[in-house]
């Protein structure tokens, strides 16, 4: 039985047979006959895949119909690049993917893409989790971005290529590779793209290598919103240190020539460039999009006449490579082949249970041998700057700093980046002296743009570094949280564990800064991180645990390839005293580098009382220790738990640390609504019904005001004592 044929294909065949193709464009000897046929076949395959996807959707076999129709000139961009140039692709780059596969023997792009359309677990890139363009062999990390949120990590990868050469680091991609990133004209307006493009220009302006080729596929539409005529050219052609190239996507030869010029410029100059590729969008945004609702029939018809496949067909016939009859036969053969492959792909297995779906949230372990600790001689030299303090107990900031020195000496692939972290040593001096010890290539000051900082880290991590970005304040990450949620944390998930970006994201945050900052500097909400599958959040309350948790975070990144967030309480950075001025009760000695890190999720426990157990973290643990002293003085036997690992919450390990305590008081410095205490309380009641009597002390559902008023909406030691005494007077569960 003949395969079903989409109306567009029927129309194309009629136009060829009736000699109604446009006049062939002059090729100028740019593409030889074999190259023209090769590129046409990639364009045709991409178009036929789009059409097949819509036919499959009608039969309930395909679930994603945003296609590449009208954008097939990007096949010529792929031909101008090497197969090992990392490619971060827009979802309309199907022809690019098909063409790139021709550079690697044994690949099966048509079958792979159709498996992806059908959401089959046999899909070799995502395992049925999404329709993505991606391949480990083809150096195409999968993207799910629709708003150019992949541009920052493409910028980060380009930077990492140059960094690899400077540090003689053998990463995922060779030193002479270039990063390519495609995106649409509507996405070019998004702050994520603009920030990344600005960061690339900022670096290149300072002669920092940035081999990044940006490909803006400009079809003039963002779903239904028109891009103003000339806007993309104006926006992208006048940026410092960013070379601008333009090509008409209906002209295959011109696109290939300009793409070669752009790629050669980026590769040899190691500077960024943008290829502004004029395209059209055929068949609406996606299968369910009725573009007649917002575009005139005349406008739609005009675009249809600019169809790049019409011009490629005309070129083939004008060169006598095909007759109208043989070209139609050639197209039919391709269509029938894709239909057969689609029929087979649609019958392949699907994900059937949650365990299958979730299998790739946590990346596979890195079985490479981990580096040895630095020698004592190396450490003596490394800590010479602070040798007079080494034997003395220190506050959290100092011990975090020392742990970073040890870790950067042990792991030569750790690279830190962030605002003010280099010579200044960070706002709170946690990164002090690191640049002097390890150089400006490993401790980098960045632009003031959290999306770019995190994108830089993701790109570096994909190039084999252990990236350690710093976000200066917790409130600042909310501008860029999708770089963690939508890019870093999803990479392993959408690549079936084939791609990872191990990193430790250091964030200074939480509240209790005396008289400073208001809610931007006293941000007590990290709820967004609790809702991201696969992310680990660690939070130290004191210097001893800070050093151990920092080592644990790096181990988790290096060995388990995890995305780890180190949430560092600002108010405790410099805290020295616990109960009264001068008691030095919150200072700690630096744990030797051979000290084992705690088992992930096991809380630290102070005292062994069983009348009441207080569970807290960060500043709350500090306040709980103050409350503990008052309760003990009143004759109560109380223990205090410091959770330390906030995400995921290891409830079983917390319960094991409670001993025989029945009364549980949760102290949470974050807001009552949406805080960790909600999760913990729910888990205790859900998994241990009728075992505990549980109460909680939390912050109010308020932003943090300036000055002393801040303490009216935050937990206090006295408030903890009051609630604890009320519980102790009642019956335990």
């Amino acid at each position: 039985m003949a395969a079903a044929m989409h109306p567009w294909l029927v129309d194309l065949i009629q136009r060829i047979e009736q000699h109604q193709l446009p006049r062939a464009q002059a090729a100028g000897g740019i593409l030889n006959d074999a190259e023209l046929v090769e590129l046409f076949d990639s364009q045709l395959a991409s178009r036929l895949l789009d059409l097949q996807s819509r036919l499959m959707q009608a039969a309930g076999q395909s679930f994603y119909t945003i296609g590449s129709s009208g954008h097939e000139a990007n096949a010529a961009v792929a031909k101008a690049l090497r197969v090992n140039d990392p490619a971060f692709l827009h979802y309309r780059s199907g022809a690019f993917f098909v063409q790139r596969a021709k550079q690697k023997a044994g690949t099966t792009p048509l079958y792979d893409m159709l498996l992806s359309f059908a959401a089959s677990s046999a899909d070799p890139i995502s395992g049925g989790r999404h329709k993505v363009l991606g391949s480990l062999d083809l150096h195409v990390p999968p993207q799910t971005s629709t708003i150019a949120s992949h541009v920052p990590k493409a910028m980060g990868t380009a930077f990492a290529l140059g960094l690899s050469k400077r540090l003689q680091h053998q990463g995922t991609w060779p030193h002479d590779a270039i990063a390519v990133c495609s995106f649409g004209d509507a996405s070019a307006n998004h702050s994520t793209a603009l920030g990344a493009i600005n960061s690339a220009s900022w670096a290149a302006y300072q002669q920092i290598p940035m081999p990044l080729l940006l490909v803006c596929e400009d079809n003039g539409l963002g779903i239904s919103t028109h891009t103003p005529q000339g806007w993309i050219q104006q926006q992208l052609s006048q940026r410092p240190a960013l070379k601008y190239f333009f090509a008409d996507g209906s002209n295959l030869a011109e696109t290939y020539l300009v793409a070669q010029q752009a790629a050669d410029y980026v590769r040899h100059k190691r500077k960024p460039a943008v290829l502004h590729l004029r395209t059209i969008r055929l068949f609406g945004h996606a299968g369910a999009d009725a573009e007649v609702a917002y575009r005139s029939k005349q406008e739609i018809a005009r675009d249809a006449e600019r169809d790049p496949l019409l011009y490629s067909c005309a070129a083939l016939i004008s060169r006598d490579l095909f007759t109208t009859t043989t070209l139609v036969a050639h197209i039919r053969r391709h269509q029938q082949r894709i239909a057969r492959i689609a029929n087979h792909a649609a019958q392949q297995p699907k994900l059937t249970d949650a365990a299958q779906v979730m299998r790739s949230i946590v990346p596979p372990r890195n079985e490479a041998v981990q580096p040895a600790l630095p020698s004592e001689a190396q450490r003596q030299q490394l800590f010479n700057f602070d040798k007079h303090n080494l034997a003395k107990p220190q506050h959290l900031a100092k011990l975090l700093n020392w742990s970073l020195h040890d870790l950067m000496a042990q792991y030569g692939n750790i690279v830190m980046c962030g605002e003010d972290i280099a010579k200044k040593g960070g706002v709170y001096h946690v990164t002090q002296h690191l640049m002097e010890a390890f150089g400006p290539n490993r401790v980098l000051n960045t632009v003031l743009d959290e999306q770019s900082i995190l994108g830089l880290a993701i790109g570096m991590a994909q190039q084999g570094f252990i990236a350690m970005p710093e976000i200066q304040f917790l409130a600042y990450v909310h501008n860029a949280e999708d770089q963690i949620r939508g890019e870093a944390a999803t990479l392993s998930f959408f690549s079936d564990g084939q791609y990872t970006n191990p990193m430790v994201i250091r964030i200074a945050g939480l509240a209790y800064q005396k008289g400073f900052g208001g809610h931007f500097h006293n941000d007590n909400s990290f709820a967004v991180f609790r809702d991201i599958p696969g992310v680990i959040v660690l939070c130290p309350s004191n210097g001893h645990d800070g050093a151990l948790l920092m080592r644990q975070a790096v181990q988790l990144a290096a060995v388990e390839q995890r995305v780890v967030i180190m949430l560092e309480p600002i108010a405790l950075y410099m805290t020295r005293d616990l109960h009264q001025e001068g008691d030095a009760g919150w200072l700690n000695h630096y744990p030797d580098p051979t000290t084992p890190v705690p088992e992930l999720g096991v809380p630290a426990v102070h005292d062994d009382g069983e009348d009441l157990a207080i569970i807290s973290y960060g500043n709350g643990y500090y306040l709980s220790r103050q409350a503990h002293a008052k309760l003990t003085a009143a004759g109560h036997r109380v223990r205090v738990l410091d959770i330390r690992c906030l995400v995921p919450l290891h409830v079983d390990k917390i319960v094991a640390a409670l001993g025989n305590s029945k009364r549980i008081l949760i102290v949470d410095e974050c807001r009552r609504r949406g805080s960790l205490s909600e999760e913990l309380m729910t888990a205790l009641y859900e998994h241990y019904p009728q075992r505990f009597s549980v109460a909680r002390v939390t912050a109010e559902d308020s932003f943090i005001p300036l000055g002393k008023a801040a303490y009216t909406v935050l937990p206090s030691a006295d408030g903890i004592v009051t609630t604890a005494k009320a519980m102790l007077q009642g019956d335990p569960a």
Side-chain angles (χ1 to χ4, degrees):
M1 179 185 294
M5 194 176 292
H6 190 279
W8 175 87
L9 189 55
V10 174
D11 181 67
L12 174 65
I13 289 172
Q14 287 178 350
R15 292 189 63 156
I16 294 171
E17 290 175 338
Q18 295 170 12
H19 305 280
Q20 292 179 348
L21 296 173
R23 178 177 295 180
Q25 297 153 325
I30 296 165
L31 292 170
N32 63 36
D33 291 349
E35 290 171 330
L36 177 60
V37 173
E38 175 191 348
L39 286 173
F40 170 73
D41 281 350
S42 294
Q43 291 183 303
L44 178 63
S46 178
R47 179 67 58 84
L48 293 174
L49 285 168
D50 281 358
L51 303 180
Q52 190 66 45
S53 178
R54 292 177 180 233
L55 294 172
M56 292 169 69
Q57 184 191 46
Q61 298 173 336
S62 179
F63 309 96
Y64 195 96
T65 54
I66 297 179
S68 307
S69 296
H71 286 241
E72 288 89 357
N74 53 44
V77 180
K79 186 170 177 60
L81 297 166
R82 299 175 184 171
V83 71
N84 59 358
D85 289 329
F88 301 84
L89 298 181
H90 183 224
Y91 52 61
R92 298 198 191 278
S93 298
F96 182 110
F97 187 80
V98 173
Q99 178 62 33
R100 170 159 284 198
K102 293 177 179 178
Q103 297 176 274
K104 181 80 172 180
T107 55
T108 54
L110 304 183
Y111 185 49
D112 296 349
M113 291 174 70
L114 286 162
L115 286 169
S116 185
F117 294 172
S120 169
S121 57
D123 166 22
I125 185 60
S126 79
R129 294 173 181 86
H130 206 291
K131 181 264 183 183
V132 291
L133 298 172
S135 167
L136 190 65
D137 289 340
L138 299 178
H139 303 277
V140 181
Q143 315 304 316
T144 61
S145 166
T146 60
I147 55 168
S149 61
H150 58 301
V151 183
K153 63 182 177 184
M155 176 274 297
T157 299
F159 178 86
L161 292 170
L163 184 66
S164 295
K165 185 175 182 180
R166 295 194 296 278
L167 293 175
Q168 298 183 323
H169 166 76
Q170 296 303 312
T172 308
W173 298 294
H175 295 164
D176 66 344
I178 69 174
V180 60
C181 180
S182 59
F183 53 94
D185 52 291
S187 293
N189 297 304
H190 200 276
S191 64
T192 315
L194 292 171
I197 294 169
N198 179 72
S199 294
S201 298
W202 183 83
Y205 185 77
Q206 301 174 81
Q207 305 304 313
I208 299 170
M210 181 58 70
L212 174 64
L213 177 59
L214 299 161
V215 182
C216 181
E217 300 182 17
D218 178 9
N219 62 31
L221 287 163
I223 304 183
S224 69
T225 302
H226 287 69
T227 298
Q229 186 71 28
W231 172 249
I232 294 299
Q233 180 180 359
Q234 285 290 313
Q235 186 194 139
L236 297 179
S237 66
Q238 300 181 30
R239 292 183 174 272
L242 181 68
K243 183 80 169 176
Y244 175 82
F245 296 86
F246 173 82
D248 180 356
S250 68
N251 188 327
L252 200 55
E254 177 186 316
T255 301
Y256 180 55
L257 174 63
V258 177
Q260 279 186 315
Q261 293 171 343
D264 287 347
Y265 171 85
V266 174
R267 196 177 307 280
H268 295 113
K269 298 289 186 181
R270 312 308 285 172
K271 292 183 177 181
V274 60
L275 170 56
H276 177 194
L277 189 60
R278 188 177 70 183
T279 65
I280 58 169
R281 190 192 73 189
L282 298 176
F283 315 138
H285 177 70
D289 178 33
E291 59 181 346
V292 292
Y294 54 86
R295 300 184 75 195
S296 70
K297 291 181 179 179
Q298 293 81 2
E299 185 183 0
I300 295 170
R302 278 197 306 271
D303 271 1
E305 290 304 311
R306 291 176 49 219
D307 187 338
L309 265 71
L310 296 180
Y311 285 96
S312 295
C313 286
L316 292 169
I317 291 173
S318 71
R319 289 199 194 185
D320 294 326
L321 297 174
F322 290 92
T323 65
T324 56
T325 302
T326 58
L327 182 56
V328 167
H330 183 77
I331 292 169
R332 285 184 181 277
R333 281 196 298 274
H334 276 264
Q335 182 255 341
Q336 290 165 3
R337 179 179 177 227
I338 285 175
R340 288 195 300 271
I341 297 171
N343 182 60
H344 182 69
Q347 299 175 48
Q348 298 312 297
K350 309 291 192 295
L351 295 168
T352 57
D353 57 54
Q356 278 186 297
V357 172
M358 297 168 65
R359 183 188 62 202
S360 61
I361 289 175
V362 175
R365 288 176 59 87
N366 177 9
E367 300 299 340
V369 176
Q370 297 304 302
L373 294 169
S375 68
E376 276 307 307
Q378 289 173 312
R379 295 190 71 242
Q380 284 182 12
Q381 183 177 356
L382 184 64
F383 287 98
N384 191 54
F385 74 96
D386 225 358
K387 60 183 179 182
H388 59 288
N389 283 322
L390 287 175
K392 303 174 185 176
Q394 303 293 334
H395 53 59
L396 172 62
K398 177 71 75 173
L399 296 190
L400 287 174
N401 177 264
W402 288 356
S403 69
L404 290 171
H405 275 81
D406 267 330
L407 286 164
M408 291 192 74
Q410 179 182 2
Y411 293 86
N413 61 336
I414 289 179
V415 177
M416 302 187 69
C417 59
E419 302 162 33
D420 303 310
I421 70 166
K423 285 187 177 181
K424 180 177 175 63
V427 174
Y428 299 100
H429 311 300
V430 176
T431 59
Q432 201 170 34
H433 303 293
L434 288 169
M435 193 193 78
E436 290 83 353
F438 300 102
N441 286 318
R442 293 188 62 197
V443 185
L444 314 168
N445 276 341
T446 66
V447 292
L448 199 159
D449 176 24
E450 285 73 25
Q451 293 182 109
S452 290
I453 292 169
L454 293 169
L456 175 63
I458 297 170
M460 289 195 298
Q462 289 196 59
Q463 178 62 356
F465 292 103
I466 298 175
M468 192 175 283
E470 176 182 292
I471 303 298
Q472 203 166 81
F473 291 99
L474 176 59
Y476 297 176
V477 81
H478 301 310
N479 302 317
E481 60 195 31
D482 189 56
Q483 287 298 303
I484 303 174
R485 185 202 67 84
E487 298 296 338
T490 60
L491 185 61
S492 175
F493 181 70
F494 285 123
S495 69
D496 206 16
Q498 296 170 82
Y499 282 97
T500 61
N501 36 217
M503 63 181 68
V504 178
I505 305 169
R506 294 184 46 251
I507 304 177
L510 301 175
Y512 293 95
Q513 292 198 74
K514 295 181 179 179
F516 178 70
H519 78 282
F520 261 110
H521 299 92
N522 275 331
D523 182 5
N524 65 334
S525 174
F526 62 95
V528 62
F529 305 135
R530 296 174 49 233
D531 194 36
I532 303 176
V535 165
I536 294 173
V537 180
L538 305 178
C539 180
S541 65
N542 59 82
H544 177 272
D545 280 359
L548 293 180
L549 292 182
M550 189 68 78
R551 294 171 192 166
Q552 184 172 48
V554 170
Q555 288 178 16
L556 287 165
V559 178
E560 297 190 20
Q561 305 193 82
R562 303 296 291 271
V563 175
V564 185
I565 295 171
M566 187 76 166
L567 184 59
E568 301 168 9
I570 298 171
L572 297 176
Y573 270 149
M574 310 297 179
T575 297
R576 303 176 63 85
D577 305 321
L578 177 56
H579 301 297
Q580 57 192 16
E581 187 174 351
D583 69 10
W586 214 245
L587 300 180
N588 289 273
H589 287 283
Y590 183 57
D592 184 271
T594 60
T595 304
V597 300
E599 181 184 344
L600 186 65
V602 172
V605 182
H606 176 75
D607 210 341
D608 59 359
E610 294 185 337
D611 294 343
L612 173 74
I614 302 175
I615 305 174
S616 194
Y617 62 90
N619 295 291
Y621 177 70
Y622 175 77
L623 297 173
S624 297
R625 287 287 301 276
Q626 293 178 333
H628 169 271
K630 295 178 180 180
L631 292 167
T632 301
H636 303 293
R637 298 175 60 250
V638 178
R639 70 176 61 197
V640 187
L641 275 60
D642 185 355
I643 300 174
R644 300 190 293 193
C645 179
L646 309 186
V647 180
L649 202 57
H650 293 74
V651 178
D652 55 338
K653 296 175 183 177
I654 293 170
V655 169
L658 294 174
N660 293 319
S661 302
K662 302 297 183 184
R663 300 180 182 91
I664 311 299
L665 176 58
I666 304 169
V667 176
D668 194 332
E669 63 183 282
C670 293
R671 296 190 277 272
R672 189 169 189 83
R673 187 176 66 246
S675 63
L676 192 71
S677 61
E678 282 187 331
E679 179 184 355
L680 183 53
M681 184 174 251
T682 300
L684 291 176
Y685 277 117
E686 188 173 53
H687 299 296
Y688 303 90
Q690 301 181 330
R691 177 170 170 180
F692 301 111
S693 173
V694 186
R696 58 182 177 140
V697 174
T698 71
E700 299 292 338
D701 288 331
S702 171
F703 298 111
I704 310 299
L706 193 62
K708 292 182 179 179
Y711 298 96
T712 66
V713 296
L714 292 169
S716 66
D718 287 342
I720 297 169
V721 170
T722 299
T723 304
K725 285 184 175 179
M727 293 185 72
L728 288 163
Q729 290 169 5
D731 255 344

